[in-house]
CSV table of all heavy atoms in Angstrom, one decimal:
chain,number,residue,atom,x,y,z
A,1,ILE,N,-7.9,-1.4,13.5
A,1,ILE,CA,-6.9,-0.7,12.7
A,1,ILE,C,-7.6,0.1,11.7
A,1,ILE,O,-8.4,-0.5,10.9
A,1,ILE,CB,-5.9,-1.6,12.1
A,1,ILE,CG1,-5.2,-2.5,13.1
A,1,ILE,CG2,-4.9,-0.9,11.2
A,1,ILE,CD1,-4.4,-3.6,12.6
A,2,GLY,N,-7.4,1.4,11.6
A,2,GLY,CA,-8.1,2.3,10.7
A,2,GLY,C,-7.2,2.6,9.5
A,2,GLY,O,-6.1,2.2,9.4
A,3,ALA,N,-7.8,3.5,8.7
A,3,ALA,CA,-7.1,3.9,7.4
A,3,ALA,C,-5.8,4.6,7.8
A,3,ALA,O,-4.8,4.4,7.1
A,3,ALA,CB,-8.0,4.8,6.6
A,4,LYS,N,-5.8,5.5,8.8
A,4,LYS,CA,-4.6,6.2,9.2
A,4,LYS,C,-3.5,5.3,9.6
A,4,LYS,O,-2.3,5.5,9.1
A,4,LYS,CB,-4.9,7.2,10.4
A,4,LYS,CG,-3.8,8.0,10.8
A,4,LYS,CD,-4.2,9.0,11.9
A,4,LYS,CE,-3.1,9.9,12.3
A,4,LYS,NZ,-2.1,9.3,13.3
A,5,GLN,N,-3.8,4.2,10.4
A,5,GLN,CA,-2.7,3.3,10.8
A,5,GLN,C,-2.2,2.5,9.6
A,5,GLN,O,-1.0,2.2,9.5
A,5,GLN,CB,-3.2,2.4,11.9
A,5,GLN,CG,-3.5,3.0,13.2
A,5,GLN,CD,-4.9,3.5,13.3
A,5,GLN,OE1,-5.7,3.6,12.3
A,5,GLN,NE2,-5.3,3.9,14.5
A,6,VAL,N,-3.1,2.1,8.7
A,6,VAL,CA,-2.7,1.3,7.5
A,6,VAL,C,-1.8,2.2,6.6
A,6,VAL,O,-0.8,1.7,6.2
A,6,VAL,CB,-4.0,0.8,6.7
A,6,VAL,CG1,-3.5,0.2,5.4
A,6,VAL,CG2,-4.7,-0.2,7.5
A,7,TYR,N,-2.2,3.4,6.5
A,7,TYR,CA,-1.4,4.3,5.6
A,7,TYR,C,0.0,4.5,6.2
A,7,TYR,O,1.0,4.4,5.5
A,7,TYR,CB,-2.1,5.7,5.6
A,7,TYR,CG,-1.3,6.7,4.8
A,7,TYR,CD1,-1.3,6.7,3.4
A,7,TYR,CD2,-0.6,7.7,5.5
A,7,TYR,CE1,-0.6,7.6,2.7
A,7,TYR,CE2,0.2,8.6,4.7
A,7,TYR,CZ,0.2,8.6,3.4
A,7,TYR,OH,0.9,9.5,2.7
A,8,GLU,N,0.0,4.7,7.5
A,8,GLU,CA,1.4,4.9,8.2
A,8,GLU,C,2.2,3.6,8.1
A,8,GLU,O,3.4,3.6,7.8
A,8,GLU,CB,1.2,5.3,9.6
A,8,GLU,CG,0.7,6.7,9.8
A,8,GLU,CD,0.3,7.0,11.3
A,8,GLU,OE1,0.4,6.1,12.1
A,8,GLU,OE2,-0.1,8.2,11.5
A,9,LEU,N,1.5,2.5,8.2
A,9,LEU,CA,2.2,1.2,8.2
A,9,LEU,C,2.8,1.0,6.8
A,9,LEU,O,4.0,0.6,6.6
A,9,LEU,CB,1.3,0.1,8.5
A,9,LEU,CG,1.8,-1.3,8.6
A,9,LEU,CD1,2.9,-1.4,9.7
A,9,LEU,CD2,0.7,-2.3,8.9
A,10,ILE,N,2.1,1.2,5.8
A,10,ILE,CA,2.5,1.0,4.4
A,10,ILE,C,3.5,2.0,3.9
A,10,ILE,O,4.6,1.7,3.4
A,10,ILE,CB,1.4,0.9,3.4
A,10,ILE,CG1,0.5,-0.3,3.7
A,10,ILE,CG2,1.9,0.9,2.0
A,10,ILE,CD1,-0.7,-0.4,2.9
A,11,PHE,N,3.2,3.3,4.2
A,11,PHE,CA,4.0,4.3,3.5
A,11,PHE,C,5.2,4.9,4.4
A,11,PHE,O,6.1,5.5,3.8
A,11,PHE,CB,3.1,5.5,3.1
A,11,PHE,CG,2.1,5.0,2.1
A,11,PHE,CD1,0.8,4.9,2.4
A,11,PHE,CD2,2.6,4.7,0.8
A,11,PHE,CE1,-0.1,4.4,1.4
A,11,PHE,CE2,1.7,4.2,-0.2
A,11,PHE,CZ,0.3,4.1,0.1
A,12,ASN,N,5.2,4.6,5.7
A,12,ASN,CA,6.4,5.0,6.4
A,12,ASN,C,7.6,4.1,6.1
A,12,ASN,O,8.7,4.5,6.1
A,12,ASN,CB,6.1,5.0,7.9
A,12,ASN,CG,5.3,6.2,8.3
A,12,ASN,OD1,5.2,7.2,7.6
A,12,ASN,ND2,4.7,6.2,9.5
A,13,ASP,N,7.3,2.8,5.9
A,13,ASP,CA,8.4,1.9,5.6
A,13,ASP,C,7.9,0.8,4.6
A,13,ASP,O,7.7,-0.3,5.0
A,13,ASP,CB,9.0,1.3,6.8
A,13,ASP,CG,10.3,0.6,6.6
A,13,ASP,OD1,10.8,0.6,5.5
A,13,ASP,OD2,10.9,0.2,7.6
A,14,PRO,N,7.6,1.2,3.4
A,14,PRO,CA,7.0,0.3,2.4
A,14,PRO,C,7.8,-1.0,2.2
A,14,PRO,O,7.2,-2.0,2.0
A,14,PRO,CB,6.8,1.1,1.2
A,14,PRO,CG,7.8,2.2,1.3
A,14,PRO,CD,8.0,2.5,2.7
A,15,ASP,N,9.1,-0.9,2.1
A,15,ASP,CA,9.9,-2.1,1.9
A,15,ASP,C,9.8,-3.1,3.0
A,15,ASP,O,10.0,-4.3,2.8
A,15,ASP,CB,11.4,-1.7,1.6
A,15,ASP,CG,11.6,-0.9,0.4
A,15,ASP,OD1,10.7,-1.0,-0.5
A,15,ASP,OD2,12.5,-0.1,0.4
A,16,GLU,N,9.5,-2.6,4.2
A,16,GLU,CA,9.4,-3.5,5.3
A,16,GLU,C,8.0,-4.2,5.3
A,16,GLU,O,7.9,-5.3,5.7
A,16,GLU,CB,9.4,-2.6,6.6
A,16,GLU,CG,9.4,-3.4,7.9
A,16,GLU,CD,10.6,-4.2,8.2
A,16,GLU,OE1,11.7,-3.9,7.6
A,16,GLU,OE2,10.6,-5.1,9.0
A,17,VAL,N,7.0,-3.6,4.7
A,17,VAL,CA,5.7,-4.1,4.7
A,17,VAL,C,5.4,-4.9,3.5
A,17,VAL,O,5.0,-6.1,3.5
A,17,VAL,CB,4.6,-3.0,4.9
A,17,VAL,CG1,3.2,-3.6,4.9
A,17,VAL,CG2,4.9,-2.3,6.2
A,18,LEU,N,5.5,-4.3,2.3
A,18,LEU,CA,5.1,-5.0,1.1
A,18,LEU,C,6.3,-5.3,0.2
A,18,LEU,O,7.2,-4.4,0.1
A,18,LEU,CB,4.2,-4.1,0.3
A,18,LEU,CG,2.8,-3.8,0.9
A,18,LEU,CD1,2.0,-2.8,0.1
A,18,LEU,CD2,2.0,-5.1,1.1
A,19,GLN,N,6.4,-6.4,-0.4
A,19,GLN,CA,7.5,-6.8,-1.2
A,19,GLN,C,7.0,-6.8,-2.7
A,19,GLN,O,7.5,-7.6,-3.5
A,19,GLN,CB,8.0,-8.2,-0.8
A,19,GLN,CG,8.6,-8.1,0.6
A,19,GLN,CD,8.7,-9.4,1.3
A,19,GLN,OE1,8.2,-10.4,0.8
A,19,GLN,NE2,9.1,-9.4,2.5
A,20,ASP,N,6.2,-5.9,-3.0
A,20,ASP,CA,5.7,-5.7,-4.4
A,20,ASP,C,6.2,-4.3,-4.8
A,20,ASP,O,6.5,-3.4,-4.0
A,20,ASP,CB,4.2,-5.7,-4.4
A,20,ASP,CG,3.6,-7.0,-4.0
A,20,ASP,OD1,4.1,-8.1,-4.4
A,20,ASP,OD2,2.6,-7.0,-3.2
A,21,ASP,N,6.2,-4.1,-6.1
A,21,ASP,CA,6.5,-2.8,-6.6
A,21,ASP,C,5.3,-1.9,-6.5
A,21,ASP,O,4.2,-2.3,-6.5
A,21,ASP,CB,7.2,-2.8,-8.0
A,21,ASP,CG,6.3,-3.2,-9.1
A,21,ASP,OD1,5.2,-2.7,-9.1
A,21,ASP,OD2,6.8,-3.9,-10.0
A,22,TRP,N,5.5,-0.5,-6.5
A,22,TRP,CA,4.5,0.4,-6.3
A,22,TRP,C,3.4,0.4,-7.4
A,22,TRP,O,2.3,0.6,-7.2
A,22,TRP,CB,5.0,1.8,-6.1
A,22,TRP,CG,5.6,1.9,-4.7
A,22,TRP,CD1,6.9,2.0,-4.3
A,22,TRP,CD2,4.8,2.0,-3.5
A,22,TRP,NE1,7.0,2.1,-3.0
A,22,TRP,CE2,5.7,2.1,-2.4
A,22,TRP,CE3,3.5,1.9,-3.2
A,22,TRP,CZ2,5.3,2.1,-1.1
A,22,TRP,CZ3,3.1,2.0,-1.9
A,22,TRP,CH2,4.0,2.1,-0.9
A,23,GLU,N,3.9,0.2,-8.7
A,23,GLU,CA,3.0,0.2,-9.8
A,23,GLU,C,1.9,-0.9,-9.6
A,23,GLU,O,0.7,-0.7,-9.8
A,23,GLU,CB,3.7,0.1,-11.1
A,23,GLU,CG,2.8,0.3,-12.3
A,23,GLU,CD,3.6,0.3,-13.6
A,23,GLU,OE1,4.7,0.9,-13.6
A,23,GLU,OE2,3.2,-0.3,-14.6
A,24,GLU,N,2.4,-2.1,-9.3
A,24,GLU,CA,1.5,-3.2,-9.0
A,24,GLU,C,0.6,-2.9,-7.9
A,24,GLU,O,-0.6,-3.3,-7.9
A,24,GLU,CB,2.3,-4.5,-8.7
A,24,GLU,CG,2.9,-5.1,-10.0
A,24,GLU,CD,3.6,-6.4,-9.6
A,24,GLU,OE1,3.2,-7.1,-8.7
A,24,GLU,OE2,4.7,-6.7,-10.2
A,25,PHE,N,1.2,-2.3,-6.8
A,25,PHE,CA,0.4,-2.0,-5.6
A,25,PHE,C,-0.7,-1.0,-6.0
A,25,PHE,O,-1.9,-1.2,-5.6
A,25,PHE,CB,1.3,-1.4,-4.5
A,25,PHE,CG,0.5,-1.1,-3.3
A,25,PHE,CD1,0.1,-2.1,-2.4
A,25,PHE,CD2,0.2,0.2,-2.9
A,25,PHE,CE1,-0.6,-1.8,-1.3
A,25,PHE,CE2,-0.5,0.5,-1.7
A,25,PHE,CZ,-0.9,-0.5,-0.9
A,26,ASP,N,-0.4,0.0,-6.7
A,26,ASP,CA,-1.4,1.0,-7.1
A,26,ASP,C,-2.5,0.3,-8.0
A,26,ASP,O,-3.7,0.5,-7.8
A,26,ASP,CB,-0.8,2.1,-7.9
A,26,ASP,CG,0.0,3.1,-7.0
A,26,ASP,OD1,-0.2,3.0,-5.8
A,26,ASP,OD2,0.8,3.8,-7.5
A,27,ASP,N,-2.1,-0.5,-8.9
A,27,ASP,CA,-3.1,-1.3,-9.8
A,27,ASP,C,-4.0,-2.1,-8.9
A,27,ASP,O,-5.2,-2.2,-9.1
A,27,ASP,CB,-2.3,-2.2,-10.8
A,27,ASP,CG,-1.6,-1.4,-11.9
A,27,ASP,OD1,-1.9,-0.1,-12.0
A,27,ASP,OD2,-0.8,-2.0,-12.6
A,28,GLU,N,-3.4,-2.8,-7.9
A,28,GLU,CA,-4.2,-3.6,-7.0
A,28,GLU,C,-5.1,-2.8,-6.2
A,28,GLU,O,-6.3,-3.2,-5.9
A,28,GLU,CB,-3.2,-4.4,-6.1
A,28,GLU,CG,-3.9,-5.5,-5.3
A,28,GLU,CD,-4.4,-6.7,-6.1
A,28,GLU,OE1,-3.9,-6.9,-7.2
A,28,GLU,OE2,-5.3,-7.3,-5.6
A,29,LEU,N,-4.7,-1.6,-5.7
A,29,LEU,CA,-5.6,-0.8,-4.9
A,29,LEU,C,-6.8,-0.4,-5.8
A,29,LEU,O,-7.9,-0.5,-5.3
A,29,LEU,CB,-4.9,0.5,-4.5
A,29,LEU,CG,-4.0,0.5,-3.3
A,29,LEU,CD1,-3.3,1.8,-3.0
A,29,LEU,CD2,-4.8,0.0,-2.0
A,30,TYR,N,-6.6,0.0,-7.0
A,30,TYR,CA,-7.7,0.4,-7.8
A,30,TYR,C,-8.6,-0.8,-8.2
A,30,TYR,O,-9.8,-0.6,-8.3
A,30,TYR,CB,-7.2,1.1,-9.1
A,30,TYR,CG,-7.0,2.6,-8.8
A,30,TYR,CD1,-5.7,3.1,-8.6
A,30,TYR,CD2,-8.1,3.5,-8.7
A,30,TYR,CE1,-5.5,4.4,-8.3
A,30,TYR,CE2,-7.9,4.8,-8.4
A,30,TYR,CZ,-6.6,5.3,-8.2
A,30,TYR,OH,-6.4,6.6,-7.9
A,31,ALA,N,-8.0,-1.9,-8.4
A,31,ALA,CA,-8.8,-3.1,-8.7
A,31,ALA,C,-9.7,-3.5,-7.5
A,31,ALA,O,-10.9,-3.8,-7.6
A,31,ALA,CB,-7.9,-4.3,-9.1
A,32,GLU,N,-9.1,-3.4,-6.3
A,32,GLU,CA,-9.8,-3.7,-5.1
A,32,GLU,C,-11.0,-2.7,-4.9
A,32,GLU,O,-12.1,-3.0,-4.6
A,32,GLU,CB,-8.9,-3.6,-3.9
A,32,GLU,CG,-9.5,-3.8,-2.5
A,32,GLU,CD,-10.0,-5.2,-2.2
A,32,GLU,OE1,-9.6,-6.1,-3.0
A,32,GLU,OE2,-10.7,-5.4,-1.2
A,33,LEU,N,-10.7,-1.4,-5.1
A,33,LEU,CA,-11.7,-0.4,-5.0
A,33,LEU,C,-12.8,-0.6,-6.0
A,33,LEU,O,-14.0,-0.5,-5.6
A,33,LEU,CB,-11.0,1.0,-5.3
A,33,LEU,CG,-11.9,2.2,-5.2
A,33,LEU,CD1,-12.5,2.3,-3.8
A,33,LEU,CD2,-11.2,3.5,-5.5
A,34,GLU,N,-12.5,-0.9,-7.2
A,34,GLU,CA,-13.5,-1.2,-8.2
A,34,GLU,C,-14.4,-2.4,-7.9
A,34,GLU,O,-15.6,-2.3,-8.0
A,34,GLU,CB,-12.9,-1.4,-9.6
A,34,GLU,CG,-13.8,-1.5,-10.7
A,34,GLU,CD,-13.1,-1.6,-12.1
A,34,GLU,OE1,-12.2,-0.8,-12.3
A,34,GLU,OE2,-13.5,-2.5,-12.8
């Protein structure tokens, strides 16, 4: 599964995939990246 599929999975129906709010998700993305 590549970045394109992950992106589509999360952003096409975010409520279906993640039960977190977007601000927390963005913070977590940046923390993971760092």
Side-chain angles (χ1 to χ4, degrees):
I1 299 168
K4 181 177 182 278
Q5 292 93 344
V6 170
Y7 177 78
E8 289 171 357
L9 184 63
I10 292 174
F11 296 109
N12 283 346
D13 197 354
D15 294 332
E16 184 72 18
V17 177
L18 296 173
Q19 294 156 2
D20 297 315
D21 68 43
W22 283 109
E23 188 174 318
E24 284 182 35
F25 182 73
D26 289 341
D27 291 346
E28 187 71 22
L29 278 179
Y30 276 102
E32 176 75 9
L33 181 61
E34 188 176 309

